[in-house]
Amino acid sequence: MKLFWKAIRFIGTIVLILVGLFVTANLLYVFSPYGGYDLLFLEFVCGFYYFLGENLPAISWDAGTWGPGVGAFLLATVVIHRFLKSWFTRKSRHWSLASTFCVMALLPVSFAISFIVPGVILQWELLRQVHWIEVR
């Protein structure tokens, strides 16, 4: 019975979000029918879906591209584990392989952030110069 109420609450939340989006889009259109704000709102809500639809097929899944990266990551994991294990042994503390995996889990996040930050700055500059919506 508890699972039933969780499902009802989840469905209710989804319906409430959709109703809120619908009301917001209609209010934007009612208050400024030719301003284009409703189109801008629709682009903000659904734009990521269209972006993924265009760009996911363009990603290369060639093993020659990601294979060396995975190999370098595993090699770095082994080297860092050996270094940290010896360092913690000298300090009379315990260091496990699970601790190394937790530390190494930060590496892909840092790698992604190193690409995201310049990309956001570049996009910010491009978006400042473009007319988003042309209303005739």
Side-chain angles (χ1 to χ4, degrees):
M1 196 61 152
K2 196 174 187 180
L3 182 65
F4 174 74
W5 289 111
K6 283 185 179 182
I8 292 294
R9 187 178 302 155
F10 177 74
I11 292 170
T13 303
I14 297 296
V15 168
L16 189 63
I17 289 171
L18 290 175
V19 167
L21 290 173
F22 180 75
V23 168
T24 304
N26 284 327
L27 285 176
L28 287 171
Y29 181 74
V30 166
F31 288 130
S32 181
Y34 299 109
Y37 297 117
D38 55 335
L39 300 174
L40 183 63
F41 179 72
L42 183 67
E43 189 70 28
F44 278 142
V45 173
C46 301
F48 194 67
Y49 171 76
Y50 297 116
F51 172 79
L52 288 179
E54 291 176 9
N55 292 318
L56 276 182
I59 294 176
S60 171
W61 298 102
D62 181 25
T65 304
W66 58 265
V70 171
F73 179 77
L74 293 175
L75 183 65
T77 302
V78 169
V79 169
I80 287 175
H81 177 70
R82 291 178 55 109
F83 172 73
L84 291 175
K85 179 96 171 162
S86 65
W87 185 33
F88 273 73
T89 303
R90 279 185 272 138
K91 302 259 185 200
S92 301
R93 300 193 59 186
H94 176 68
W95 186 262
S96 66
L97 190 60
S99 301
T100 302
F101 283 132
C102 289
V103 169
M104 292 305 290
L106 295 173
L107 188 65
V109 174
S110 301
F111 184 74
I113 289 172
S114 71
F115 284 104
I116 289 173
V117 170
V120 166
I121 293 171
L122 177 66
Q123 289 297 320
W124 181 270
E125 288 300 317
L126 291 174
L127 289 174
R128 278 184 343 125
Q129 300 169 0
V130 173
H131 295 288
W132 284 29
I133 296 173
E134 293 182 20
V135 180
R136 296 179 188 180

